[in-house]
Amino acid sequence: MPPPWTRAPQRPARRRRQPLTQEAIVDAALQVLDADGLELLSMRHVARTLHTSAASLYWHVGSKDGLLDLLFDRLIGEVPVPEPDPGRWQEQLKQVARGQRATILGHRDVVRLSLGRIAMGPQALRHAERVLAILRAGGVPDELAVAGQQLLISIVSGFAIDETGEGGRPPAESPSAGEAASMARDYVAALPADRFPHLVRLADQFAADDPDQRFELLLDLFVDGLAQRARPAR
């Protein structure tokens, strides 16, 4: 054995850094989005999460806007879409809508992230393809199928904007959904009955604060109307 004074110092083995990939960058961006929100999602913040530099990220995603496009596409890919079952196409369409809403509520600022973005990434295209397959298998004519697929996104996003507060988390001082509903009821009930007879008469209905129930009603109205329009064509 060599004498102690000639031995090389014992250093821990260096852990090999995993190569940086576009997928890893999007994963890190999703972590930042969920933890800190869209306003704090920056290239530097994502880079710190990956223990690298912001310059390294640009090589893989091009720009911050490119990263946000990839992130939005990733979130669309989380929505499950079943295989077409012609006899159950209406329920399957509702199932897709529930999945869209669950994804929005499961991540922070998704609606704000979607504003102004045209979803044409690989996940978005697969999603649209599968939803159109459900509609066409159910006998919905082509023009109505495309409109239905696009309007489904609009109604779910619109509901989510109302549900989450402009697509973001409401301020801490904002009232809860139940408190807001009660405040609306009390305000409407106090209106002059001679000027607003219908509002006053139905004031108690404004206290309804079950978003799941309202969302199911919205789906029923939308899908029933779509089926009614499709029936003559079939």
Side-chain angles (χ1 to χ4, degrees):
M1 294 181 62
W5 57 84
T6 63
R7 293 178 185 171
Q10 298 295 316
R11 297 189 178 95
R14 295 184 63 182
R15 185 174 59 183
R16 297 184 62 185
R17 179 180 295 179
Q18 293 295 324
L20 193 62
T21 64
Q22 188 180 91
E23 182 179 5
I25 295 171
V26 175
D27 286 342
L30 184 55
Q31 293 178 22
V32 173
L33 180 71
D34 287 340
D36 301 314
L38 186 60
E39 290 182 359
L40 297 181
L41 198 163
S42 66
M43 298 294 275
R44 288 185 178 181
H45 196 346
V46 175
R48 284 196 299 270
T49 304
L50 293 167
H51 306 290
T52 187
S53 66
S56 300
L57 271 56
Y58 287 101
W59 176 266
H60 296 275
V61 300
S63 64
K64 179 183 176 181
D65 207 46
L67 174 58
L68 295 181
D69 286 340
L70 292 168
L71 179 56
F72 184 43
D73 193 59
R74 164 72 64 82
L75 292 169
I76 294 174
E78 289 188 3
V79 180
V81 183
E83 292 295 326
D85 182 347
R88 297 183 59 252
W89 74 269
Q90 296 179 50
E91 178 55 36
Q92 287 189 317
L93 195 60
K94 294 178 184 179
Q95 182 180 340
V96 172
R98 295 181 191 115
Q100 291 174 345
R101 178 178 175 236
T103 298
I104 291 172
L105 296 180
H107 296 285
R108 189 169 176 175
D109 291 347
V110 175
V111 175
R112 290 177 57 200
L113 176 63
S114 70
L115 296 177
R117 300 190 184 280
I118 300 176
M120 287 292 177
Q123 297 291 348
L125 293 176
R126 277 191 287 269
H127 178 88
E129 175 71 17
R130 292 172 68 86
V131 173
L132 288 172
I134 291 173
L135 291 164
R136 299 189 74 203
V140 179
D142 293 348
E143 183 177 358
L144 189 58
V146 173
Q149 181 264 331
Q150 295 175 342
L151 287 173
L152 184 67
I153 297 171
S154 297
I155 65 168
V156 175
S157 297
F159 187 90
I161 288 175
D162 178 63
E163 187 173 16
T164 61
E166 298 296 333
R169 292 182 179 177
E173 65 273 11
S174 297
S176 66
E179 292 170 340
S182 297
M183 291 167 62
R185 177 200 58 203
D186 295 342
Y187 177 77
V188 171
L191 292 172
D194 58 332
R195 294 177 58 192
F196 306 100
H198 299 294
L199 285 171
V200 174
R201 176 69 179 82
L202 301 174
D204 286 343
Q205 303 302 320
F206 284 83
D209 64 339
D210 188 342
D212 295 334
Q213 186 177 18
R214 289 189 292 116
F215 186 70
E216 289 300 321
L217 175 60
L218 176 63
L219 292 185
D220 287 343
L221 293 173
F222 175 73
V223 175
D224 289 350
L226 195 63
Q228 184 69 25
R229 282 289 188 98
R231 193 168 293 122
R234 291 201 299 272

